[in-house]
Amino acid sequence: MPRRVHPTSSPRSEGPSLCPEAGRAPTLGPVTAAATAPDRLLSVLAAFDHGHPALSLTDISRRAGLSLTTAHRLVGALTRWGALERDGSGVYHVGLRLWEIAALAPRGVGLRQVALPYLEDLYEATHENVQLAVRDGGEVVYIEWLAARSSVGVHIRVGARWPLHATGVGLALLAHGEPEFQEAYRAGPLASFTPYTITDPARLRRVLAEVRRTGAAVSDRQITDDALSVAAPVHGPDGTVTAAVSVVVPHADARVPTLVPAVRLAARGISRALGWRPDIPLTGEDPPPHTC
């Protein structure tokens, strides 16, 4: 059976993450003198991320850019409300009240619950790592991951973030983004993680066009030099792409031509469960080439 990886879990990976931003939370930037009370309150919450799940009051003050007095006042208010919890050693953690609020996000727990049966089916068909992700700005955020015990190691955890162009799910999401957004993204810096990462805007344009044509994306060795991901977009009730599903296999895996229709089938099942009724059948789409 697959192992579901929860937000507090660490991924199965060989060595440290190759990307210092992986798994980070969005930050508000340094708090200035003109910052409002909500800005300061949010800066306290933004001090926590996957690399810093437990913080002392001093740590919170430093990471939020607040005076110790202000941090003490805000942390106290957040703790009383349940957004933060303080353990016996005086260290603070994110509280369950925030989890309860986050569970209401339509692209969070609700989407995961709808998608899970199809993710499990994809896992049973492949016995490889299976992922579900959504787009947040120029990044992909992983909201579910079924980890195979003997599959290729990946640098992913629930809540992790990676640039859109460097992952299969990211390519699937970017390819269906607004044209203006795609153009702006291609014009920006394209971070490189391996010699195979797409860093040329013209090449990225061609890859995205191929993703739209075939209905799937293959990201080959873009994050690590031993892994390949096959991804497909998930459509919401109005037909827009709201998420993407993928399977991650070893780079040398020869099953890519058979994985593409399996991943597309899983994505289509999730889309139908979300209320989408597609007009284009699954047949007639050719497997995409590797993006390397």
Side-chain angles (χ1 to χ4, degrees), residues 12-109:
R12 174 187 178 271
S13 60
E14 284 70 40
S17 171
L18 299 182
C19 175
E21 298 296 310
R24 69 169 179 81
T27 57
L28 300 175
V31 175
T32 65
T36 64
D39 289 335
R40 295 189 178 93
L41 196 67
L42 290 173
S43 72
V44 171
L45 297 177
F48 294 85
D49 58 25
H50 281 289
H52 305 85
L55 297 170
S56 68
L57 181 61
T58 301
D59 292 333
I60 295 173
S61 171
R62 175 178 52 81
R63 288 178 55 80
L66 300 170
S67 69
L68 196 58
T69 300
T70 300
H72 182 269
R73 175 172 55 82
L74 295 177
V75 166
L78 289 168
T79 302
R80 288 190 295 274
W81 186 77
L84 297 178
E85 296 176 356
R86 186 173 184 267
D87 64 23
S89 64
V91 173
Y92 292 90
H93 308 260
V94 173
L96 284 178
R97 187 73 180 272
L98 278 188
W99 184 87
E100 294 172 1
I101 298 297
L104 301 176
R107 296 193 300 165
V109 174

Side-chain angles (χ1 to χ4, degrees), residues 25-279:
T27 57
L28 300 175
V31 175
T32 65
T36 64
D39 289 335
R40 295 189 178 93
L41 196 67
L42 290 173
S43 72
V44 171
L45 297 177
F48 294 85
D49 58 25
H50 281 289
H52 305 85
L55 297 170
S56 68
L57 181 61
T58 301
D59 292 333
I60 295 173
S61 171
R62 175 178 52 81
R63 288 178 55 80
L66 300 170
S67 69
L68 196 58
T69 300
T70 300
H72 182 269
R73 175 172 55 82
L74 295 177
V75 166
L78 289 168
T79 302
R80 288 190 295 274
W81 186 77
L84 297 178
E85 296 176 356
R86 186 173 184 267
D87 64 23
S89 64
V91 173
Y92 292 90
H93 308 260
V94 173
L96 284 178
R97 187 73 180 272
L98 278 188
W99 184 87
E100 294 172 1
I101 298 297
L104 301 176
R107 296 193 300 165
V109 174
L111 176 58
R112 291 166 67 187
Q113 290 175 339
V114 170
L116 189 57
Y118 302 94
L119 300 179
E120 291 176 338
D121 287 346
L122 182 58
Y123 169 83
E124 291 298 334
T126 63
H127 292 284
E128 301 287 355
N129 293 317
V130 173
Q131 303 166 341
L132 180 70
V134 296
R135 176 168 75 88
D136 185 21
E139 297 174 311
V140 58
V141 180
Y142 292 86
I143 63 172
E144 185 59 278
W145 176 36
L146 302 185
R149 296 187 181 277
S150 58
S151 61
V152 63
V154 294
H155 298 276
I156 295 298
R157 70 180 75 191
V158 173
R161 293 170 174 262
W162 288 91
L164 290 170
H165 68 281
T167 66
V169 285
L171 289 171
L173 290 164
L174 180 58
H176 294 278
E178 302 84 355
E180 298 80 7
F181 173 77
Q182 292 186 44
E183 182 177 353
Y185 189 93
R186 291 194 304 268
L190 300 176
S192 178
F193 305 99
T194 74
Y196 305 98
T197 307
I198 300 173
T199 57
D200 177 57
R203 181 182 168 215
L204 180 57
R205 181 193 293 270
R206 294 192 299 271
V207 168
L208 297 178
E210 188 69 7
V211 172
R212 289 189 295 272
R213 184 185 73 82
T214 62
V218 176
S219 178
D220 190 357
R221 296 172 290 173
Q222 290 213 86
I223 297 295
T224 64
D225 59 8
D226 62 347
L228 175 150
S229 66
V230 179
V234 172
H235 297 264
D238 60 356
T240 59
V241 171
T242 60
V245 60
S246 71
V247 62
V248 180
V249 300
H251 155 67
D253 198 307
R255 295 179 297 152
V256 170
T258 61
L259 289 173
V260 169
V263 173
R264 284 195 308 217
L265 186 61
R268 180 162 296 238
I270 299 170
S271 299
R272 287 184 178 277
L274 290 174
W276 184 51
R277 294 296 177 263
D279 298 322

